[in-house]
Amino acid sequence: MEIEIVGLDSSIINAMRRILLSEIATIAIEDIYVFENTSILNDNILAHRIGLIPLRINPKQIQFQKMYCLKDQTNSVVLILKNSNFCNSFRLTKDIFCKDFSYRRYGSLIPHQSRVYFSIKQDIVKKNSFLTFEDILITKLKPKQLLFLEAHCKKGYSTQHSKYSPVAAAWYLYYSTTILIKNLIYYKQNLENFLYLKKTNINKKFSKFYNTKHLLNGTKLRVYS
């Protein structure tokens, strides 16, 4: 996504970039409870990879978890990942992608250990619509290996952790337009109007003399998500 802005100072553009990076609330995986993991990856490495998976959940439907409060259906989303490889051949491995996650509407499987208590059914997320990308590889399973875990999602800002950042990268750059005027008589006649419009940044009146709307120096803000 690219945003073209004309007539603003670079400090305002930089403020917009910093707001995109750190001041927008999103949903990310916070807690992971591993029931069984016989894959080649350790539990800590696996939890770190899963925590960075981008989720497509509307943050307006989830509230912030208050301090010293239990997690419930208003501030938490529970995901389950259970998969195994029962192939007999030792040469065949099974790829585990993020699309293998399933949404659990009735809360945690271990509510007393995880302290997540759902009083009613949660209908925030539709079926298989909570993932931004479905082809992110998590790990690989050899024959007779099993992966069973539970992930809890919460709402937060990227100032807490980079996994809450809504964009991958955001930067801005300057651009300018060069005007070549061959008729010096026309330039001298409209010199006063040119200087006045350049100070006031009135693009509509400025376009009457030079047939363009982008002659003033501007800034482009690029966002990649």
Side-chain angles (χ1 to χ4, degrees):
M1 181 178 67
E2 294 186 6
I3 304 174
E4 186 175 344
I5 301 173
V6 179
L8 287 180
D9 190 71
S10 61
S11 59
I12 301 177
I13 309 301
N14 189 34
M16 295 174 60
R17 183 187 66 86
R18 295 180 68 88
I19 289 171
L20 288 173
L21 290 174
S22 60
E23 297 296 333
I24 298 178
T26 57
I27 308 297
I29 297 175
E30 179 68 20
D31 301 322
I32 296 177
Y33 298 91
V34 181
F35 302 121
E36 187 173 356
N37 178 24
T38 57
S39 64
I40 192 173
L41 290 181
N42 191 15
D43 293 347
N44 296 329
I45 301 175
L46 187 65
H48 180 71
R49 289 177 60 86
I50 294 175
L52 296 177
I53 295 176
L55 301 177
R56 192 175 58 184
I57 301 176
N58 189 5
K60 295 181 180 180
Q61 298 179 350
I62 299 294
Q63 301 177 1
F64 285 101
Q65 182 184 358
K66 298 181 180 180
M67 189 177 295
Y68 306 113
C69 292
L70 297 176
K71 293 184 287 186
D72 55 7
Q73 68 276 0
T74 61
N75 54 25
S76 298
V77 177
V78 179
L79 305 177
I80 300 294
L81 176 59
K82 185 176 181 180
N83 212 325
S84 59
N85 188 2
F86 295 107
C87 183
N88 295 326
S89 177
F90 290 96
R91 296 182 179 179
L92 297 178
T93 59
K94 186 176 183 180
D95 297 335
I96 306 300
F97 296 95
C98 60
K99 64 182 179 181
D100 296 326
F101 272 101
S102 60
Y103 171 57
R104 182 170 174 81
R105 303 180 184 273
Y106 296 96
S108 175
L109 297 173
I110 47 173
H112 298 288
Q113 291 82 357
S114 61
R115 296 183 180 181
V116 179
Y117 302 97
F118 280 24
S119 59
I120 58 176
K121 180 181 177 181
Q122 188 184 58
D123 292 328
I124 295 176
V125 182
K126 296 182 180 180
K127 185 178 180 182
N128 297 329
S129 64
F130 55 88
L131 296 172
T132 306
F133 304 101
E134 296 183 355
D135 55 349
I136 299 177
L137 180 64
I138 298 176
T139 184
K140 292 185 178 182
L141 296 179
K142 291 183 178 181
K144 300 181 181 179
Q145 287 185 348
L146 175 65
L147 179 61
F148 184 26
L149 57 88
E150 180 179 293
H152 296 174
C153 310
K154 64 179 292 187
K155 187 177 181 179
Y157 293 104
S158 62
T159 54
Q160 304 172 359
H161 197 278
S162 60
K163 63 185 176 182
Y164 292 106
S165 180
V167 296
W171 70 87
Y172 66 94
L173 54 92
Y174 297 99
Y175 77 96
S176 60
T177 305
T178 304
I179 307 172
L180 298 178
I181 302 175
K182 296 182 179 181
N183 192 354
L184 296 179
I185 299 175
Y186 180 81
Y187 174 75
K188 291 178 181 180
Q189 292 176 354
N190 297 278
L191 180 60
E192 295 180 358
N193 296 326
F194 174 78
L195 296 176
Y196 171 75
L197 294 175
K198 189 173 182 181
K199 291 180 180 179
T200 56
N201 293 335
I202 304 176
N203 294 331
K204 294 182 180 179
K205 294 182 180 180
F206 190 79
S207 61
K208 293 181 181 179
F209 294 96
Y210 298 100
N211 297 324
T212 180
K213 296 182 180 180
H214 304 283
L215 295 182
L216 296 177
N217 292 334
T219 308
K220 279 188 178 180
L221 177 64
R222 293 185 178 180
V223 178
Y224 289 84
S225 58

